[in-house]
Amino acid sequence: MIFEHVGPINTEETLKLAYERAKELGIDELVLASTSGDSAKAAVEICQGMKIVSVSYHAGFKEPFELSITKENRAWLVKRGVNVVCATHALSGIERGMAKKFPGPYPTLIAAETLKLFGQGVKVAVEVAVMAADSGALSGKKIVSVGGSGKGCDAALVLTPANQNRFFDLKIHEVICKPGL
């Protein structure tokens, strides 16, 4: 499915398409980007019966020592069995900080920009899969991974995740949906 627009207008449809495709393929793990926890709450309602991993920014991304996910949303998600991961962006991390001070080419940022050619949500779906893998939240089997362009969800992929140190072992098998750009 190719969406006409980017962003949160596609969240519900993205999650429904992701859930339907996961069921068709026998996949029981769903990873999604959810900064505040709102998209993850929607996933709990739509993707019932799946193991859900919600990935948010690391503490300090916006304000020093503060998480982006609200305490209320985190508690709500955890109560419903969602594994909430707050981690450094796999496709920027320390390189983003270095690039601000010392401009130049950085391999991780180049990989991120290359993935963005397919759309911000596709890049995010890959990134959160790596972050979830690094946290130990995944089995290593095929998953459905969901990302978005800013807020909400607008891209879903079927992929085999990998840890950062094995990044090129990650395999994208299918694009379920994404904006047309």
Side-chain angles (χ1 to χ4, degrees):
M1 163 77 70
I2 301 295
F3 296 124
E4 189 174 330
H5 302 286
V6 301
I9 191 170
N10 302 310
T11 298
E12 186 175 337
E13 185 66 16
T14 298
L15 292 171
K16 286 179 180 178
L17 290 167
Y19 180 67
E20 290 169 13
R21 190 63 180 138
K23 290 297 171 197
E24 289 170 1
L25 296 172
I27 294 172
D28 63 355
E29 291 177 284
L30 177 95
V31 173
L32 80 154
S34 189
T35 303
S36 68
D38 291 339
S39 294
K41 286 175 75 173
V44 168
E45 300 300 325
I46 294 169
C47 304
Q48 295 183 10
M50 293 193 75
K51 175 185 173 185
I52 299 173
V53 180
S54 173
V55 180
S56 185
Y57 300 136
H58 61 88
F61 183 78
K62 293 184 178 181
E63 295 293 329
F65 303 97
E66 296 292 325
L67 291 173
S68 298
I69 187 169
T70 67
K71 291 177 184 173
E72 297 79 17
N73 280 353
R74 187 175 188 159
W76 190 93
L77 292 166
V78 169
K79 183 177 181 181
R80 286 154 182 83
V82 174
N83 188 339
V84 177
V85 173
C86 298
T88 300
H89 283 79
L91 295 176
S92 63
I94 196 168
E95 279 194 4
R96 183 180 291 158
M98 291 173 65
K100 286 179 184 178
K101 187 160 178 106
F102 306 105
Y106 291 89
T108 304
L109 298 178
I110 293 168
E113 290 301 316
T114 301
L115 285 167
K116 284 182 191 177
L117 293 172
F118 298 96
Q120 175 73 16
V122 170
K123 188 276 292 186
V124 171
V126 169
E127 187 166 42
V128 296
V130 172
M131 292 161 71
D134 282 354
S135 78
L138 300 177
S139 67
K141 297 183 291 187
K142 280 185 186 177
I143 65 169
V144 171
S145 191
V146 176
S149 303
K151 293 191 177 285
C153 304
D154 62 14
L157 309 173
V158 175
L159 60 79
T160 301
N163 302 100
Q164 284 188 57
N165 61 330
R166 293 177 182 83
F167 179 74
F168 290 105
D169 290 342
L170 185 143
K171 301 295 179 225
I172 298 171
H173 303 288
E174 180 179 334
V175 177
I176 298 168
C177 59
K178 71 176 221 55
L181 305 176

